[in-house]
Amino acid sequence: MANSNPKKTSVKRKHTEKDDAPAVAPVTLKLSGLEMLTDDEDGDDYNPEDDTDDGEVDDEDDDEDGDDEDEDESLSEDEEDQDEEEEGSTEEDSEVESDYHIFPKAKTVISDITGQPKKVYPEIEPDYDSDSSTEEATNRVGDVPMHWYDDMPHIGYDINGKRVLRPARGDELDKFLATVDDPSAWTSAFDKTSQEEKPLSSEELDIIKRLYAGENPDENYDPYEPMVEWFTGKGKEEIMPLSAAPEPKRRWVRSKWEKQKIMKIVRAIRAGRIVGQKPKTTSKYEVYSIWSSEPSTSAPPALPAPKRALPTNAESYNPPEEYLMTEEERKEWESKDAEDRERDFMPQKFTSLRLVPAYDQFIKERFNRQLDLYLAPRIQRTKLNIDPTSLIPKLPSPSSLRPFPNYKSLNIRHPKGRARCVSISPDGNWAASGDEDGVVSLWEVNVGCEVKRWKFEGKIGSIEWAPRQDVSYFAVGVEETIHFLIPPNVDSTTLAQTHALLAPSALPSAGPTPSPVKWTSTSVSSWSNDKPILSLTLPPSSGVPTQLQWHKKGDYFASVSTGGATQNAVWIHQLSKRHSQAPFRKIKGAVQLVLFHPTMPHFFVATQQYVRLYNLAEQKLIKTLMPGYDRKLCWFDLELSEKPYKVLKYHSRAIRSLHFHPKYPLFASASDDGSIQIFHSRVYNDLMTDPLIVPLKILRGHQITDGLGVLQVKWNPKQPWLASAGADGTVAVWCS
Amino acid sequence: MGRLKVKGKAGAAKNFTTRSQAVKKLQCSLADFRRLCILKGIFPREPRSRKKANKGSSAPTSFYYTKDIAYLAHEPVLKKLREHKAFAKKLSRALGRGEWSAAKSLEDNKPVYRLDHIIKERYPTFIDALRDIDDALCMIFLFATLPSTTRLPREIVENCARLAAEWQLYIMHTHSLRKVFLSIKGVYYQAEVMDQTITWLIPYSFTQNVPPDVDLRVMLTFLELYQTLLGFVNFKLYTDATLVYPPPLDAKKDDTAAGVGAFSLQTAEVQVKKAAEKIKSVAVDGRTVTGKDVRQTIKSITAASGEQESGDSEMAELEENVEEEEAFVLQTSHTQVASDLPTLQTLSSLPTSSTSNLFAPYTFWISREVPRSVFEFLIRSFGGRVGWPASSGSGSPFDESDENITHVIIDRPSVQKEETPAQRDLRLRRKFVQPQWVVDSINASKILLEDTYAQGKSLPPHLSPFGEYNGAYDPTAEAEAGDDVDMSDVEEEEAEEAASDDEETEPSKDNVEAALASVTEDPATLRAAELAAEAAGMDYGTFEAKVKKASKKSSAKSSKTVEDAEKDMNKMLMSNKQRKLYEKMKYSQQKQAAENDKLESRRRKLQKDKATQ
């Protein structure tokens, strides 16, 4: 190791010589083998010299950082700098430095041969002093473990092969005393080769200090050295080419293709295809005369938006006082949602214009208007600007359509029950009415004088005079039987004919099929006015015959029973043959009414839902009429349709009865609301003219009892008079 | 058998498109679709059967005509909107990458759509545009006063203010204002332009705050359309009136809140003349000086030198007169050359009726608490001259001490104070009226009596000049008539009662009266009544008279009831549809009548209260 770095060691030595007067024998330093003697007191005070040195360096650093105060200081620092440099000078430095040089100074001379300046160094004298390697330690064992010599008296051999004796070593006390005596003891380390303490040089101490501080051990190492630019900057460019290839042609010849491209653009610019710096759009709302040209489309413009309603007096800032809201109105207005309010503002009154505040809903209102404009569907509605009364049909005045029943002229009372039915004789002089108590009363139509009264067991369902003029009798439907009664005071010829009809001497032979209906007649001899001359018993539990309907010739009649258990409620009876038959085997729905066609062999059957028209001769269904449900009066044109031609809905309750006058163009309807409605009805032969229906009169006079009003109405066949039976137990005659 | 019909291939199913289908078809966002609908004026339609139109679904959707949507698909604005979408993407990418120059060039070439073609489509003729301009005016006047925010750029507000001022200038210039109404919402104006009645509403000048539930985007889209529309309309109106459009704006005046006065109207003839004059214009200091320039410089000098000088205003007036004369002469010569038939120009240059120059002989001073913009507009549109204090803005042609001022519009309570004889003299020479006087005079088209509107007096009610529906409650006309009837009735009754009290004091009088009431029913009751009268000691003559009167009354009543009954009966022959319509009409009539009655009774009550006080 020592041999390997002779120059360095020599430098060290020179330093020591120069600095310190007592020359210490030069030793090779082997840092790896160094052991600090005093571990305890390592950091405090090294070496006064070193310490001061450090301090100075620090100061200098500070000064450099902050400021240079005065020349004196800076001068002294310079000196110290120089000192430092001298101390830590390396070989390169020493070459430059003049004063303290290890090598002899080189002289620059002009060479005789080349003519160039050259450095000439002085000759080195090869004596002992000249080379540091000769001043080596005496022990020359080399780098061997020294414990090999532990048992020996010597510690190695010198250059001449002589033993180097182990230096005398005192005991621990001596060592301690030596450390006490020697101030530099703690800066010395045990040298293994010489087996004794050797003081460390200041360089070594410096290295140790640096290592402790974690710095680079080399004092002159500058980590922040400025970069030396070798190849960049002016005059330092690399001029030597990297490749020997010749420079390509494209470096100096213009590109043909680029030229073509450029020429293309140039041509486009010249032609105006490319506009340099497109003119900026000046404004979004640039205006010009847009309506100077004709409209482009002939299509009609879209529906214009409806304008807003113009403000009314209530919106004024100073309205008449009556427009202002009362307290209740204001509360109501405030409690309502904005959509439900009739007005979107509250009328207010200000005494002067300067007091009017801002309207806070202004923007909201505008916004709502816009929502309406683009979100609301628009429909064009023709606004009817007509007088509502013009909608009411113009009809002839009722006064021009006289006669019709106008007022109540008679009132017959049935004190014990509801008057169910009434019937007026074909000659128009007599009327018979029956009630639910079983009383049938016969009375004179003109005066109302009761002539005769019959009493039956059970309810009277219906009464009907026979339509024939030459005979005089009527049929009464009571509790599953139909009785035939002859009124009293009939002239003899009529009576005889009636007797002959109802109780003929020779009974017709029984029909081919036995009928469940029994005909029983009392003999003429035992006959009296009090008892029915002929009775007809319907099958048991068939219910009360609520309707009797005579055919116009008076031979046939139909009966409808309701409230019974049996299905077959409609019977057609033939008087001359004393035969009854059920025309329908099974019928859908409950039959309400039946009717013979006045001229043709047709038969109407009305159930709750529909009206059926049968041809009795051919025995088949002709038509089904659809009147619909309650409270309506439907006017059908049989030639037109099954749907009603006209529906009149004027009764507030169910319609109970309807009757056409046989002679006059009148009909009447009676309802549970207690009123009777008289109509004028006329059908023209001309097909183009619509039938005329004129409401004439509403007759009120019957009381509503138990929710029932007028139960039956019948016209007087000869006069425009009406008889009505009411649930209040009265039978009234209405005269014109 | 015919061809099988496939469901949903014809009829309503094909003619109607739901909104979501439309958006899908147009391949745009819902916001863009809305914008397009607003701009193009496309609105939803109500199909007869929603089920048929929507494949059997009755979900609540809005329907559009399929043809409308197909028509939208070719809209250039839609293309621009798509371009804008791409642009926005590019811009955001450029910004995200920090490519500022690229972003700038993108921003420079930003796609901007114009609405000219839409205006032309929606309003094929100028009259169509005028007819539909009400909403546009309302919006533009509203936005002209809104504060600009981040959501509402300043440019828009400025443009709106400019358009609004131009419109007002035109109305003032042509004296076409007809009616004005001061309502609690704002001021309604009605003008007649090209025979079209145009009504617009301007809010009072307070800060409006945009409520949070208002979608400003929708409003701005509408505003875009309206700005374009009003721009074109203004252009057409100005050019038709041979005025220069846009009217030059004096920025300095505008900055000092001169309002409408910041714009100066120039006739096109003057421009033409100016062009002709250019040849003989004088060159001073190397730049040409025209007569116009000279006039303007004089004006500016006088304006700058002192606004206190009363002579200044006269000078300005002179100036105006000169201009008007020039214009007038030119126009007449022009029309003579053209033809003898009345053209639009001749008609418009006809001497305006006296009502439109209602305030011509007067000079007004607007006090500082009166909104100047409103009353300056009103007075100038009716030919009056108007001035205002500097605190309400600059540009007043004269100051308060002007001798010519005839009316002072003042809106403060009168205060007694010391005054010098000169002030007193000035005060007595002028008429101090409240602002309502101006408006009421305009609506009455005559100068109303100033005393009722004098300073500090409680004003008569301000009524709407637009009128109400036919037969509505009229607070003015019925005031006298209704009163008379009522009063006479009451008086008569009272007199009668007094007389009868004098004649007879028997308690049986009531019975006789009651009997008389039912006298005409039948002879039996008549007889009974006679007996009752006899018992009461009434002589036969008076009884006869009474009977006659009662019978007359009752017969009139009965005939009326008979007619009513007949009518009621005839009602049953109405068809269902007619009946429903009838009931509806009757309902509304009754409602109106009830409203009128309510107002009437309230007024009577108020009058009574006043009388008792």
Side-chain angles (χ1 to χ4, degrees):
Chain A
M1 173 78 191
N3 289 332
S4 64
N5 200 353
K7 275 185 183 173
K8 185 151 188 180
T9 46
S10 74
V11 169
K12 296 276 166 56
R13 190 197 52 148
K14 285 240 164 177
H15 273 279
T16 50
E17 272 178 358
K18 177 191 67 83
D19 283 340
D20 307 324
V24 184
V27 283
T28 52
L29 273 181
K30 209 171 77 182
L31 281 175
S32 60
L34 278 178
E35 284 173 10
M36 286 299 287
L37 272 180
T38 52
D39 288 338
D40 300 340
E41 7 177 340
D42 45 355
D44 279 348
D45 42 350
Y46 267 110
N47 192 343
E49 266 186 33
D50 272 352
D51 260 357
T52 50
D53 236 67
D54 264 357
E56 278 163 7
V57 168
D58 281 348
D59 274 353
E60 178 206 34
D61 278 345
D62 286 346
D63 281 346
E64 273 174 3
D65 279 346
D67 52 336
D68 16 349
E69 285 163 4
D70 45 13
E71 279 188 324
D72 288 345
E73 263 194 31
S74 64
L75 276 177
S76 65
E77 275 166 19
D78 280 350
E79 284 170 10
E80 278 163 14
D81 267 354
Q82 279 196 345
D83 282 351
E84 271 181 19
E85 277 164 10
E86 285 154 21
E87 274 179 19
S89 59
T90 52
E91 282 150 314
E92 293 91 27
D93 286 341
S94 61
E95 273 184 5
V96 180
E97 299 294 325
S98 56
D99 290 340
Y100 310 102
H101 218 275
I102 22 172
F103 290 125
K105 207 173 180 182
K107 276 184 198 165
T108 311
V109 292
I110 307 295
S111 168
D112 298 334
I113 303 156
T114 58
Q116 299 288 322
K118 69 168 186 184
K119 284 181 175 176
V120 176
Y121 293 95
E123 289 289 319
I124 297 170
E125 294 170 45
D127 60 349
Y128 287 112
D129 202 29
S130 65
D131 197 355
S132 61
S133 60
T134 55
E135 318 162 10
E136 263 311 304
T138 50
N139 195 353
R140 296 286 175 129
V141 286
D143 194 10
V144 296
M146 287 310 289
H147 60 87
W148 291 348
Y149 294 93
D150 274 356
D151 300 335
M152 307 286 180
H154 60 276
I155 53 167
Y157 304 92
D158 64 3
I159 196 163
N160 299 321
K162 295 273 171 65
R163 285 177 176 178
V164 177
L165 288 177
R166 186 181 296 271
R169 299 193 62 178
D171 54 358
E172 291 299 312
L173 187 61
D174 290 337
K175 274 186 202 166
F176 173 72
L177 287 175
T179 56
V180 169
D181 292 340
D182 187 8
S184 66
W186 67 276
T187 56
S188 56
F190 183 72
D191 185 14
K192 277 179 191 165
T193 40
S194 62
Q195 290 283 315
E196 58 185 355
E197 297 283 327
K198 289 268 171 74
L200 294 173
S201 69
S202 64
E203 287 86 11
E204 286 161 351
L205 286 172
D206 193 38
I207 287 170
I208 290 166
K209 201 178 110 191
R210 283 171 182 284
L211 285 174
Y212 260 101
E215 289 169 10
N216 196 312
D218 186 2
E219 185 193 12
N220 296 313
Y221 175 72
D222 180 12
Y224 308 111
E225 212 165 53
M227 197 182 91
V228 181
E229 291 185 333
W230 296 107
F231 303 108
T232 52
K234 187 98 181 161
K236 289 177 189 162
E237 299 92 350
E238 269 190 302
I239 35 172
M240 296 298 287
L242 291 175
S243 113
E247 201 173 357
K249 201 179 171 188
R250 63 174 177 273
R251 294 264 170 88
W252 70 90
V253 176
R254 283 195 315 190
S255 164
K256 190 178 168 189
W257 311 111
E258 275 177 10
K259 188 193 170 195
Q260 280 179 354
K261 268 187 185 173
I262 290 166
M263 278 319 290
K264 204 174 168 185
I265 294 169
V266 167
R267 258 179 255 117
I269 291 171
R270 279 184 191 149
R273 283 197 302 277
I274 296 176
V275 182
Q277 212 36 268
K278 201 163 62 175
K280 284 260 293 181
T281 44
T282 48
S283 162
K284 207 176 168 186
Y285 306 112
E286 201 185 347
V287 290
Y288 51 90
S289 177
I290 198 171
W291 286 290
S292 57
S293 60
E294 282 300 299
S296 54
T297 54
S298 56
L303 219 56
K307 294 196 171 189
R308 296 210 62 167
L310 289 170
T312 58
N313 289 338
E315 210 183 305
S316 167
Y317 87 100
N318 180 17
E321 270 178 66
E322 55 264 30
Y323 284 98
L324 300 180
M325 284 176 166
T326 57
E327 201 55 41
E328 304 93 67
E329 279 176 330
R330 175 196 294 271
K331 265 180 197 148
E332 197 197 337
W333 188 86
E334 274 165 356
S335 64
K336 269 183 182 173
D337 277 347
E339 292 88 39
D340 302 335
R341 287 172 186 163
E342 209 159 304
R343 265 186 199 140
D344 52 357
F345 60 92
M346 203 189 306
Q348 281 167 296
K349 193 175 175 81
F350 299 97
T351 50
S352 84
L353 187 63
R354 72 169 192 282
L355 301 175
V356 183
Y359 181 59
D360 54 345
Q361 291 294 305
F362 197 93
I363 293 182
K364 180 80 182 150
E365 245 171 50
R366 275 288 110 207
F367 180 61
N368 285 343
R369 162 76 177 165
Q370 286 169 358
L371 290 189
D372 282 350
L373 284 181
Y374 92 102
L375 285 182
R378 276 181 222 162
I379 301 169
Q380 202 161 26
R381 281 221 175 89
T382 47
K383 200 168 183 182
L384 278 178
N385 199 6
I386 51 165
D387 184 18
T389 50
S390 68
L391 288 171
I392 299 173
K394 292 279 170 291
L395 294 171
S397 166
S399 54
S400 68
L401 297 171
R402 285 179 199 283
F404 56 86
N406 227 351
Y407 63 95
K408 193 196 268 184
S409 72
L410 282 180
N411 219 358
I412 311 295
R413 293 204 59 78
H414 282 267
K416 286 201 172 164
R418 298 179 185 126
R420 267 279 165 195
C421 43
V422 64
S423 181
I424 298 176
S425 66
D427 56 359
N429 293 330
W430 303 94
S433 58
D435 66 12
E436 288 191 346
D437 199 33
V439 173
V440 174
S441 89
L442 179 76
W443 37 279
E444 212 275 324
V445 173
N446 283 329
V447 188
C449 168
E450 193 181 45
V451 176
K452 178 86 185 155
R453 181 181 286 233
W454 291 271
K455 179 82 173 79
F456 294 99
E457 293 298 316
K459 288 180 187 173
I460 308 293
S462 52
I463 290 176
E464 204 68 46
W465 283 87
R468 280 166 66 170
Q469 296 275 9
D470 53 340
V471 294
S472 178
Y473 65 95
F474 59 91
V476 180
V478 193
E479 291 292 350
E480 297 166 12
T481 52
I482 298 167
H483 299 294
F484 290 84
L485 296 174
I486 301 174
N489 311 331
V490 183
D491 59 22
S492 54
T493 51
T494 316
L495 187 66
Q497 277 189 15
T498 313
H499 276 176
L501 183 68
L502 293 179
S505 50
L507 280 172
S509 59
T513 49
S515 166
V517 179
K518 260 193 247 157
W519 296 69
T520 49
S521 59
T522 49
S523 61
V524 178
S525 54
S526 65
W527 178 78
S528 75
N529 269 344
D530 296 337
K531 283 197 174 158
I533 188 166
L534 178 67
S535 290
L536 189 151
T537 314
L538 295 173
S541 75
S542 62
V544 187
T546 48
Q547 200 209 358
L548 296 172
Q549 180 70 39
W550 287 97
H551 188 252
K552 71 165 192 292
K553 283 181 181 155
D555 192 21
Y556 289 95
F557 72 98
S559 73
V560 180
S561 310
T562 52
T566 52
Q567 260 278 322
N568 217 342
V570 183
W571 289 91
I572 293 180
H573 313 278
Q574 192 179 10
L575 202 60
S576 57
K577 287 188 179 164
R578 298 211 170 183
H579 177 68
S580 303
Q581 58 178 350
F584 309 110
R585 205 170 299 139
K586 198 178 174 189
I587 202 154
K588 222 177 174 181
V591 178
Q592 304 289 311
L593 289 174
V594 295
L595 186 69
F596 286 104
H597 194 281
T599 52
M600 282 191 280
H602 291 171
F603 189 60
F604 295 88
V605 177
T607 64
Q608 277 171 338
Q609 276 137 35
Y610 50 84
V611 179
R612 285 191 161 163
L613 174 57
Y614 293 94
N615 191 333
L616 288 177
E618 293 173 16
Q619 295 193 349
K620 67 175 187 187
L621 178 70
I622 298 172
K623 219 167 213 182
T624 306
L625 306 178
M626 302 292 201
Y629 269 107
D630 223 359
R631 289 191 292 163
K632 284 183 204 159
L633 190 147
C634 302
W635 180 278
F636 288 94
D637 192 334
L638 283 181
E639 286 168 3
L640 274 180
S641 155
E642 282 139 22
K643 292 274 160 56
Y645 160 73
K646 201 159 197 71
V647 177
L648 307 177
K649 197 169 176 181
Y650 51 89
H651 280 303
S652 57
R653 307 295 304 274
I655 294 177
R656 282 275 161 190
S657 170
L658 184 79
H659 197 220
F660 273 95
H661 200 285
K663 275 169 69 186
Y664 291 93
L666 294 171
F667 74 89
S669 66
S671 154
D672 271 347
D673 62 1
S675 68
I676 300 160
Q677 178 81 44
I678 313 291
F679 287 92
H680 175 91
S681 67
R682 183 171 284 166
V683 180
Y684 298 93
N685 282 334
D686 179 13
L687 288 174
M688 297 307 290
T689 319
D690 287 336
L692 177 73
I693 304 171
V694 185
L696 293 175
K697 182 82 184 170
I698 303 166
L699 301 173
R700 296 177 200 279
H702 285 286
Q703 304 299 318
I704 301 169
T705 45
D706 306 337
L708 297 173
V710 185
L711 296 174
Q712 196 164 34
V713 284
K714 282 279 161 65
W715 289 100
N716 187 327
K718 302 282 185 206
Q719 301 284 345
W721 298 348
L722 188 75
S724 62
D728 55 347
T730 59
V731 179
V733 175
W734 308 81
C735 288
S736 58
Chain B
M1 194 175 149
R3 219 183 154 85
L4 274 178
K5 274 187 183 169
V6 186
K7 215 175 172 189
K9 294 282 178 194
K14 235 186 149 194
N15 290 342
F16 289 99
T17 311
T18 62
R19 195 186 64 182
S20 48
Q21 280 170 345
V23 169
K24 215 176 201 178
K25 170 158 179 144
L26 295 178
Q27 299 183 5
C28 61
S29 65
L30 185 59
D32 281 350
F33 177 70
R34 281 192 180 142
R35 197 168 292 146
L36 270 182
C37 283
I38 290 169
L39 295 177
K40 294 284 279 183
I42 285 169
F43 48 86
R45 312 286 176 143
E46 194 62 33
R48 275 220 189 85
S49 159
R50 293 183 82 88
K51 264 191 167 181
K52 273 182 192 163
N54 200 11
K55 294 180 184 139
S57 155
S58 57
T61 44
S62 46
F63 294 94
Y64 291 86
Y65 279 159
T66 308
K67 281 199 173 173
D68 277 351
I69 301 303
Y71 169 65
L72 274 188
H74 300 289
E75 177 55 43
V77 171
L78 179 61
K79 207 178 141 204
K80 282 281 179 191
L81 287 176
R82 288 189 188 129
E83 274 174 21
H84 188 91
K85 197 174 154 196
F87 155 76
K89 263 186 201 166
K90 281 180 197 163
L91 186 70
S92 72
R93 191 174 53 196
L95 290 178
R97 287 176 174 175
E99 297 166 347
W100 309 119
S101 66
K104 194 170 178 304
S105 73
L106 273 174
E107 177 69 26
D108 286 345
N109 297 320
K110 179 176 159 183
V112 178
Y113 58 80
R114 288 183 59 97
L115 303 173
D116 312 1
H117 63 286
I118 290 181
I119 299 291
K120 184 81 199 227
E121 265 169 26
R122 289 185 65 173
Y123 309 109
T125 64
F126 180 51
I127 297 300
D128 291 329
L130 271 184
R131 203 178 290 148
D132 212 18
I133 211 168
D134 287 13
D135 286 317
L137 285 173
C138 285
M139 275 289 280
I140 281 172
F141 274 99
L142 169 64
F143 272 79
T145 57
L146 283 188
S148 63
T149 57
T150 46
R151 290 196 297 169
L152 180 64
R154 192 173 52 88
E155 292 79 37
I156 289 182
V157 175
E158 274 176 3
N159 193 35
C160 286
R162 182 181 62 83
L163 288 170
E166 283 167 9
W167 173 261
Q168 282 196 332
L169 266 180
Y170 176 78
I171 296 292
M172 283 194 292
H173 177 77
T174 54
H175 298 296
S176 40
L177 193 66
R178 293 290 171 269
K179 285 167 181 172
V180 190
F181 180 47
L182 302 170
S183 93
I184 52 172
K185 292 182 183 176
V187 186
Y188 285 89
Y189 299 94
Q190 193 171 62
E192 216 175 270
V193 180
M194 305 252 174
D195 288 338
Q196 298 296 320
T197 312
I198 295 162
T199 316
W200 71 98
L201 170 64
I202 305 182
Y204 291 115
S205 47
F206 290 102
T207 310
Q208 298 273 352
N209 50 338
V210 181
D213 52 345
V214 162
D215 189 354
L216 204 63
R217 285 181 306 169
V218 170
M219 293 196 93
L220 287 178
T221 312
F222 267 103
L223 194 67
E224 224 166 49
L225 179 75
Y226 288 155
Q227 282 178 73
T228 318
L229 173 64
L230 193 62
F232 282 117
V233 167
N234 278 351
F235 180 85
K236 171 88 174 157
L237 287 174
Y238 271 70
T239 45
D240 280 0
T242 61
L243 294 170
V244 175
Y245 188 87
L249 171 72
D250 190 340
K252 211 194 318 182
K253 277 189 184 174
D254 196 36
D255 288 343
T256 52
V260 182
F263 292 89
S264 53
L265 282 179
Q266 292 178 348
T267 52
E269 272 79 1
V270 169
Q271 287 267 306
V272 170
K273 209 174 72 180
K274 207 171 96 182
E277 268 178 1
K278 244 176 200 171
I279 307 153
K280 51 181 177 180
S281 59
V282 199
V284 178
D285 295 344
R287 73 186 186 94
T288 56
V289 176
T290 59
K292 189 84 190 169
D293 282 336
V294 171
R295 235 176 284 152
Q296 269 183 348
T297 45
I298 289 170
K299 211 182 253 180
S300 62
I301 287 164
T302 47
S305 64
E307 288 183 0
Q308 299 87 353
E309 277 182 49
S310 58
D312 166 39
S313 66
E314 285 171 3
M315 198 159 182
E317 197 189 17
L318 261 174
E319 218 90 61
E320 277 172 31
N321 285 348
V322 165
E323 277 186 34
E324 271 174 18
E325 272 171 22
E326 281 172 0
F328 182 69
V329 168
L330 273 168
Q331 273 186 2
T332 45
S333 65
H334 177 71
T335 47
Q336 275 167 0
V337 166
S339 70
D340 292 340
L341 283 172
T343 59
L344 195 66
Q345 251 183 23
T346 56
L347 284 177
S348 62
S349 66
L350 276 176
T352 41
S353 60
S354 60
T355 54
S356 62
N357 277 326
L358 188 68
F359 296 141
Y362 305 111
T363 308
F364 293 83
W365 179 261
I366 300 178
S367 184
R368 79 183 132 81
E369 69 279 358
V370 178
R372 170 174 79 88
S373 56
V374 175
F375 285 89
E376 186 196 357
F377 174 57
L378 291 184
I379 292 164
R380 282 182 64 186
S381 350
F382 284 89
R385 292 182 62 235
V386 62
W388 53 87
S391 59
S392 342
S394 72
S396 170
F398 49 86
D399 71 337
E400 198 171 359
S401 58
D402 197 310
E403 294 291 308
N404 295 327
I405 295 173
T406 55
H407 289 80
V408 175
I409 303 171
I410 197 158
D411 198 8
R412 321 170 228 205
S414 50
V415 179
Q416 290 296 326
K417 59 176 179 186
E418 293 289 310
E419 51 188 4
T420 60
Q423 279 176 336
R424 188 180 145 72
D425 183 45
L426 207 60
R427 186 170 61 79
L428 288 180
R429 237 186 302 139
R430 292 170 181 176
K431 279 172 175 156
F432 287 75
V433 288
Q434 297 196 38
Q436 196 187 320
W437 176 82
V438 176
V439 178
D440 280 353
S441 296
I442 288 169
N443 291 338
S445 59
K446 64 181 178 195
I447 300 292
L448 293 174
L449 219 59
E450 285 91 347
D451 292 345
T452 26
Y453 296 90
Q455 183 186 5
K457 278 200 175 173
S458 69
L459 291 164
H462 179 57
L463 300 179
S464 164
F466 306 114
E468 300 201 22
Y469 58 90
N470 235 352
Y473 166 71
D474 185 1
T476 53
E478 283 177 30
E480 301 91 33
D483 264 357
D484 287 354
V485 167
D486 275 5
M487 293 311 283
S488 66
D489 261 12
V490 169
E491 275 170 24
E492 227 170 79
E493 265 174 41
E494 277 174 1
E496 234 172 68
E497 268 178 35
S500 61
D501 279 353
D502 288 345
E503 276 178 22
E504 44 192 12
T505 48
E506 276 133 301
S508 60
K509 199 197 92 198
D510 289 348
N511 292 347
V512 180
E513 295 278 329
L516 275 172
S518 60
V519 98
T520 45
E521 292 298 306
D522 56 325
T525 48
L526 181 68
R527 178 88 190 140
E530 209 177 325
L531 283 174
E534 239 179 81
M538 193 188 276
D539 66 277
Y540 190 70
T542 52
F543 176 74
E544 277 284 83
K546 284 211 167 188
V547 163
K548 213 170 259 175
K549 196 174 163 190
S551 68
K552 204 187 265 174
K553 215 181 244 178
S554 69
S555 72
K557 205 188 276 173
S558 69
S559 72
K560 210 176 177 188
T561 53
V562 163
E563 256 175 41
D564 279 354
E566 276 178 20
K567 223 171 238 172
D568 280 352
M569 278 196 297
N570 288 355
K571 264 186 230 166
M572 62 180 73
L573 286 175
M574 282 200 282
S575 66
N576 241 354
K577 197 174 162 189
Q578 276 175 326
R579 182 166 42 236
K580 272 175 191 162
L581 182 62
Y582 177 83
E583 271 157 18
K584 227 186 264 172
M585 288 169 99
K586 271 284 170 198
Y587 173 78
S588 66
Q589 274 187 352
Q590 276 163 8
K591 208 167 137 192
Q592 284 177 3
E595 180 76 30
N596 291 354
D597 287 351
K598 192 179 78 181
L599 290 173
E600 185 83 15
S601 65
R602 219 180 261 177
R603 190 191 57 199
R604 221 167 278 152
K605 199 177 150 212
L606 283 168
Q607 276 175 348
K608 211 182 268 175
D609 287 353
K610 233 174 246 173
T612 51
Q613 272 169 16

